[in-house]
Amino acid sequence: MKEIVVLSGKGGTGKTTMLGSLAFLAENKIIADCDVDAADLHLLLAPRPGSENKFVSGVKARVIEDQCSGCGTCDLCQFEAVTLAETATIDSLACEGCGVCAYFCPEDAIVLDENHCGTWFISDTDYGPLVHAQLFAGEENSGKLVSFVKSKARELAEETGAGLILVDGAPGIGCPVIASLSNTDIILAITEPTQSGWHDLERVLDLADHFKVQAFVCLNKWDLNPEMATEIKHSCQDREVEFLGEIPFDPAVVSCQINGIPVVGNDDEGSAALAIRGIWNKLKNRL
Amino acid sequence: MGLEPAGGVGENMRIAVASGKGGTGKTTVSTSLALCAPGPVQYLDCDVEEPNGHIFLNPEFSVAEHCEVTIPRIVEAKCTYCGKCRDICRFRAITMFGKTIMSFPELCHSCRGCFLVCEDEAIAEDKREIGLLEAGQAGEINFVHGRTRVGEAMSVPLIKAVKKKAWKDGLVILDAPPGTSCPFVETVNDVDFVLLVTEPTPFGLHDLKLAVEVLLNFKKPCGVLVNRADLGDDRVDTWCRESGIPILLKIPFERGIAEGYAKGRNLVESQPDLRKPLENLLREICS
Ligand code: SF4
Ligand code: SF4
């Protein structure tokens, strides 16, 4: 079984659009949306409602007011989550769930509640099964939820005999992205020819080196800045990262998004669709 | 350290520019707002995984500080293998089998639980670097950003370090990380206003809704800037109207802006007639 993660570093460079199209083109696969912080893939793949489950991870501390003597021991919290007045109160957004306050409270006035911090789904789409999730707003366990979504996708792939898992990664290069890289065979990095896009691509490629995952690069909207597109291609060459292709700016991409369909596989495939097909043909031979 | 404004009176205001979805133009907007400020202004790039503000403002740095977190180092000579540190750590950063004890610095959240619980002085303080903070001047703008080490999953302590540099008085503009999870919350939790940059597409709207949900949760005033306003549909408009979230400015798509952006030029440079509307926007937010 192979696994491809699509990453971009910088947001908004066409990561989800790319993944939606790969979902159309690839056969016998499971799709996993690991951008759990802002999961958008379902907007393109129109999943039919399937199973919906709670995601519980970590704990949050809560003060039982009646038992609190206001002694202030819990002020040892390193995360500025504790406010002291008559009794202590805990800001659950700031609480990291370390449990240190509860451990040291002489009155046993602090309890640790399980933290229900998101929802995960397995849904069916026209393109295959989709595992996706939504972390509740402001939560901090995105890495854990990503690992969870990936493990579910893997189970499902084993059950159904799917040969491929397609993963939509998160923007950035932090905790959720790192979590999405475990057991991955290939990173497909998609960026655009802008200073920011390039800067962030370099960071993604550094990350790929750091975790020793093979990376491929493609460029979206390359014609907005052909000179920089060329420079980015050269820099890929210098790093010995294979460049798989470039996608032109194509207004059809926005209209497909508005209609909630992948860019490839609709009646009037334009220049972007063609380019994406080309990238996929190369990528699948590298698997 | 010369980070306070030189006695000037700006509005006393902290404005975060955020987006939910990445790639909507958050950084061009935030840097341009800083450039349009009538008086002294500070710009904090809190998107520490992929900081891009420097590309648009070209600061000269005079300060570089390593951002470190405190982690335990086990002094085996003193350790009695009581296992208390392992038991208090909810992040599984300490394990013990028989007379082998190990710590995993990457998993440590620096809660200090193990330090507090060890009665044998067997835990010494060690530091782990998670990133670099740099500060300096970009013309009239006081500039601070952080940059996480590649492969680093922990960004919140670095965001906190960047925010520690924030002026107590005057106008401060914060560039927030994408998404709605902990790095975003850490950035916006104590600002006066959040400007949400979005685009009129289903992805833009979906992620805008998530961001607004978090902000309403902690009663944070916010408003919307619609970027590339003519490249999409009117669902963002409708939703904002129905939810009572003001749309403060719309910026149409201009190839000139996109091409300027690609080269690292911000809005007011590529499109000087945007200066007035941005100045007005700033005034409106500050009033
Ligand atoms: S559980 Fe940890 S982070 Fe939460 S309030 Fe207690 S000491 Fe602070
Ligand atoms: S400081 Fe807290 S998180 Fe780190 S090892 Fe000690 S108990 Fe675990």
Side-chain angles (χ1 to χ4, degrees):
Chain A
M1 189 196 314
K2 296 286 176 189
E3 188 176 305
I4 303 175
V5 178
V6 182
L7 293 181
S8 66
K10 179 172 149 45
T13 60
K15 182 169 57 62
T16 302
T17 299
M18 184 57 152
L19 202 107
S21 296
L22 295 186
F24 176 85
L25 293 168
E27 276 158 24
N28 191 22
K29 78 275 152 180
I30 306 290
I31 311 155
D33 192 348
C34 286
D35 188 359
V36 298
D37 206 3
D40 284 343
L41 198 53
H42 64 281
L43 299 173
L44 277 190
L45 302 183
R48 292 176 278 281
S51 71
E52 185 177 329
N53 314 273
K54 275 185 175 181
F55 178 69
V56 176
S57 176
V59 294
K60 294 275 179 190
R62 176 169 53 88
V63 177
I64 307 170
E65 260 178 57
D66 296 349
Q67 258 163 269
C68 174
S69 65
C71 71
T73 306
C74 51
D75 207 23
L76 46 72
C77 172
Q78 296 297 306
F79 305 98
E80 291 160 24
V82 173
T83 318
L84 288 170
E86 286 290 284
T87 62
T89 43
I90 290 169
D91 171 1
S92 70
L93 267 182
C95 175
E96 190 96 356
C98 69
V100 171
C101 55
Y103 185 97
F104 285 100
C105 175
E107 313 289 342
D108 279 333
I110 299 181
V111 286
L112 301 175
D113 298 325
E114 269 195 344
N115 185 25
H116 173 202
C117 55
T119 314
W120 62 274
F121 315 84
I122 296 183
S123 316
D124 198 30
T125 76
D126 287 350
Y127 317 95
L130 170 68
V131 186
H132 50 134
Q134 182 65 51
L135 193 69
F136 293 154
E139 282 293 343
E140 56 193 299
N141 288 306
S142 55
K144 292 224 176 79
L145 184 50
V146 166
S147 305
F148 187 82
V149 165
K150 286 207 18 162
S151 68
K152 284 288 154 199
R154 221 150 242 277
E155 272 172 32
L156 205 60
E158 273 156 20
E159 272 167 36
T160 59
L164 179 67
I165 302 176
L166 285 175
V167 181
D168 192 5
I173 57 165
C175 156
V177 174
I178 292 172
S180 70
L181 291 185
S182 74
N183 289 319
T184 283
D185 301 283
I186 282 179
I187 294 173
L188 175 62
I190 177 163
T191 192
E192 53 184 32
T194 62
Q195 287 287 354
S196 324
W198 189 1
H199 174 261
D200 294 359
L201 171 70
E202 293 288 336
R203 304 253 294 161
V204 168
L205 295 178
D206 290 345
L207 190 75
D209 286 347
H210 186 93
F211 291 107
K212 305 198 172 46
V213 183
Q214 190 182 18
F216 295 94
V217 172
C218 64
L219 261 182
N220 195 10
K221 304 184 210 163
W222 72 271
D223 48 343
L224 282 184
N225 191 336
E227 297 92 57
M228 197 176 291
T230 309
E231 282 181 73
I232 292 176
K233 273 191 265 179
H234 284 154
S235 92
C236 287
Q237 229 162 36
D238 294 344
R239 297 185 68 127
E240 297 179 15
V241 172
E242 190 179 351
F243 184 83
L244 291 185
E246 47 203 6
I247 305 160
F249 177 78
D250 179 354
V253 172
V254 176
S255 57
C256 284
Q257 209 196 93
I258 286 173
N259 298 322
I261 49 172
V263 177
V264 292
N266 61 69
D267 293 340
D268 32 26
E269 283 196 2
S271 52
L274 203 69
I276 292 174
R277 281 180 182 276
I279 291 167
W280 169 243
N281 285 336
K282 285 193 196 159
L283 186 63
K284 79 177 172 212
N285 291 328
R286 305 295 185 276
L287 282 174
Chain B
M1 191 168 300
L3 285 180
E4 297 293 319
V9 237
E11 290 86 335
N12 250 338
M13 190 78 186
R14 287 189 187 186
I15 304 170
V17 181
S19 72
K21 175 170 157 45
T24 55
K26 171 176 69 66
T27 302
T28 9
V29 169
S30 57
T31 51
S32 300
L33 277 181
L35 286 167
C36 291
V41 58
Q42 189 184 36
Y43 173 86
L44 306 181
D45 195 344
C46 296
D47 187 358
V48 297
E49 283 175 38
E50 302 283 18
N52 282 330
H54 64 283
I55 293 174
F56 298 94
L57 292 174
N58 296 313
E60 273 185 39
F61 293 117
S62 50
V63 177
E65 291 168 13
H66 297 281
C67 176
E68 295 175 328
V69 292
T70 304
I71 55 163
R73 180 169 48 81
I74 292 147
V75 187
E76 290 235 22
K78 291 191 179 174
C79 181
T80 57
Y81 307 99
C82 71
K84 284 186 182 155
C85 56
R86 172 200 55 199
D87 295 343
I88 197 171
C89 182
R90 298 194 67 92
F91 307 105
R92 299 207 191 102
I94 299 180
T95 59
M96 212 175 90
F97 7 80
K99 296 215 160 172
T100 310
I101 180 162
M102 272 164 83
S103 67
F104 297 93
E106 274 78 41
L107 299 179
C108 173
H109 285 227
S110 303
C111 72
R112 301 193 73 93
C114 54
F115 294 89
L116 293 163
V117 83
C118 180
E119 284 162 10
D120 304 302
E121 295 173 358
I123 298 191
E125 272 190 24
D126 224 341
K127 297 281 179 201
R128 188 168 78 82
E129 182 177 343
I130 60 164
L132 183 71
L133 177 148
E134 292 176 301
Q137 276 308 119
E140 300 294 306
I141 302 168
N142 183 264
F143 186 103
V144 186
H145 76 177
R147 182 191 297 270
T148 50
R149 204 171 44 77
V150 168
E152 179 55 60
M154 222 160 275
S155 62
V156 167
L158 183 52
I159 297 173
K160 284 189 176 159
V162 169
K163 287 184 70 182
K164 280 232 163 70
K165 300 278 181 200
W167 288 345
K168 301 287 168 288
D169 309 299
L171 177 63
V172 181
I173 293 175
L174 299 89
D175 194 338
T180 49
S181 64
C182 45
F184 167 76
V185 172
E186 186 57 44
T187 305
V188 302
N189 59 8
D190 56 357
V191 302
D192 302 298
F193 188 88
V194 181
L195 179 65
L196 292 160
V197 182
T198 190
E199 53 184 33
T201 61
F203 290 2
L205 176 58
H206 177 254
D207 299 350
L208 174 68
K209 285 182 188 167
L210 293 173
V212 168
E213 189 192 325
V214 189
L215 297 174
L216 292 183
N217 255 338
F218 51 114
K219 302 192 178 56
K220 195 63 67 184
C222 61
V224 170
L225 184 153
V226 185
N227 199 7
R228 305 189 265 269
D230 44 353
L231 279 193
D233 59 11
D234 53 11
R235 281 179 272 184
V236 166
D237 274 75
T238 315
W239 183 81
C240 286
R241 196 169 344 102
E242 284 167 0
S243 321
I245 309 288
I247 292 184
L248 300 173
L249 186 64
K250 288 186 179 182
I251 299 177
F253 177 81
E254 294 275 350
R255 217 178 153 100
I257 296 181
E259 284 169 356
Y261 175 88
K263 301 200 176 84
R265 259 188 246 132
N266 61 71
L267 286 173
V268 279
E269 277 173 90
S270 341
Q271 199 78 354
D273 29 320
L274 280 175
R275 181 172 276 277
K276 264 264 113 49
L278 284 169
E279 283 171 3
N280 291 339
L281 172 66
L282 208 50
R283 209 168 300 129
E284 197 178 334
I285 294 174
C286 291
S287 64

